[in-house]
Amino acid sequence: MAEGALDEHALVRALIPELKSSAFGDATVRQVLDITTALKFSEDYADPKAEVWAHAQAGSPLPPPAGYTGPRSYHESLQQINKSGAHGQAFGYKTPNSDALGWLLARATGKPLGELLAERIWRRIGAEREAFYTVDTIGTPFAGGGFNATLRDLARLGQLVLQDGEWNGEQVLPPAAIERIRRGGDRGQFAQAGYALLPGWSYRGMWWHSGDAHGAFSARGVHGQTLWIDPVADVVIARFASHPVAANAANDPTSLPAWRAVADHLMTRDRTPLLGGEWVIEDIAGAGVIDRTHAFLRFMPDGRLVGSATCNNLRGRHESVARTLRLTLTATSRKQCAPALMHQEGRLLKLLPRVTHYRIDDTGALRLRTAAGEVATARR
């Protein structure tokens, strides 16, 4: 969607006519992506009669049981799911949304999901091993849970997201797509799903957003598989799991505190806390910033400083010892924007070369301080 190949407001039936009469027909692409579709579908793995088992049987590559007359592929299964309620009102995790999204991606690009992932991501992030999807009888990848990769390569995928889609100087994923995930979704819609152990959480673009002070978000598997991304701590945690209970509520009471404890531990021992992802400017000398502007700084390992002053890109150098910091600006682009934007940019460019010290507070905010006491605040 960030590249314009998919319209988030488009109806699924316009892109996949085969789903016209299903529950997905009048849902939008965005509703599928955020799983706010109204499906008559139970994800209760403890119930042998739940629809999730019928969906799994449809995708099984093994011979069907005697007398089986149900769907024989994921696509056939999606076509038989009925609607219950109104789309866009509430979040409720249901696996078929991921399979519908896989179909949407394949239809929009003209490429199978596995080939698309290999071309767009896997070959470009230095993966150590090949990855693969399990498939149904007609070769359709199981987008809802059939992805297989090594643990280190899964962590590489998380690192790609942490770095706003950039890998070794190449922009692999659009930064705008990552930024939308980082914002999280509608907490009110999420609360209606009844996840008692996840207060304040939301869901956006197939990612679970914690809503905590670090803005941590994760990809989660039903048996505890996790890819946890903490932008403030600059940490990615990948875990394989096979918890016997098919529900994250069975391991969240221990897992969620563990992820945060690991991140906090690493932060206290990080000798290069400035390095990593973008530090987005939230305030300039107490005057705030204009809504929806995106001024940011990024401190590179080789001493380079890159970013945006609001309207124009900036380049420079950074040097730090303990908590002292020196910023030298060497170049900016020269685009002209609205006067208010240019004024904000001027204030930031004037302050940065005067910075002498920095501090990262308990909320993860970066505070850049000048000798005169002026402070610019940024956050990952």
Side-chain angles (χ1 to χ4, degrees), residues 86-162:
H87 298 312
Q89 301 300 307
F91 169 76
Y93 189 87
K94 294 177 174 61
T95 296
N97 287 278
S98 298
D99 289 309
L101 179 61
W103 198 352
L104 284 165
L105 290 171
R107 185 61 59 88
T109 63
K111 297 179 179 180
L113 185 60
E115 181 180 330
L116 185 64
L117 178 62
E119 178 184 296
R120 296 296 304 271
I121 297 176
W122 217 247
R123 295 170 186 164
R124 303 167 69 183
I125 63 172
E128 293 180 354
R129 293 287 304 277
E130 69 283 357
F132 65 90
Y133 280 101
T134 58
V135 298
D136 61 18
T137 55
I138 63 172
T140 307
F142 180 24
F147 182 66
N148 294 263
T150 68
L151 187 63
R152 288 174 63 87
D153 283 341
L154 182 64
R156 280 184 170 85
L157 180 61
Q159 188 68 29
L160 174 69
V161 176
L162 177 67

Side-chain angles (χ1 to χ4, degrees), residues 162-174:
L162 177 67
Q163 295 171 178
D164 298 315
E166 183 269 335
W167 193 270
N168 288 340
E170 179 186 8
Q171 198 65 51
V172 176
L173 296 174

Side-chain angles (χ1 to χ4, degrees), residues 257-329:
W259 308 148
R260 293 181 171 115
V262 169
D264 289 344
H265 175 81
L266 293 174
M267 284 183 70
T268 61
R269 287 156 177 78
D270 187 1
R271 296 183 179 180
T272 58
L274 293 175
L275 306 185
E278 293 181 357
W279 290 97
V280 179
I281 303 297
E282 292 186 338
D283 179 77
I284 305 171
V289 294
I290 299 171
D291 290 346
R292 298 185 180 86
T293 56
H294 187 63
F296 70 91
L297 301 174
R298 188 165 183 185
F299 299 86
M300 309 302 287
D302 60 2
R304 288 183 298 123
L305 176 70
V306 299
S308 168
T310 295
C311 181
N312 287 283
N313 296 329
L314 63 84
R315 296 289 184 270
R317 305 288 300 177
H318 66 89
E319 300 176 53
S320 63
V321 178
R323 290 296 180 261
T324 64
L325 178 63
R326 179 184 178 188
L327 303 178
T328 304
L329 301 182

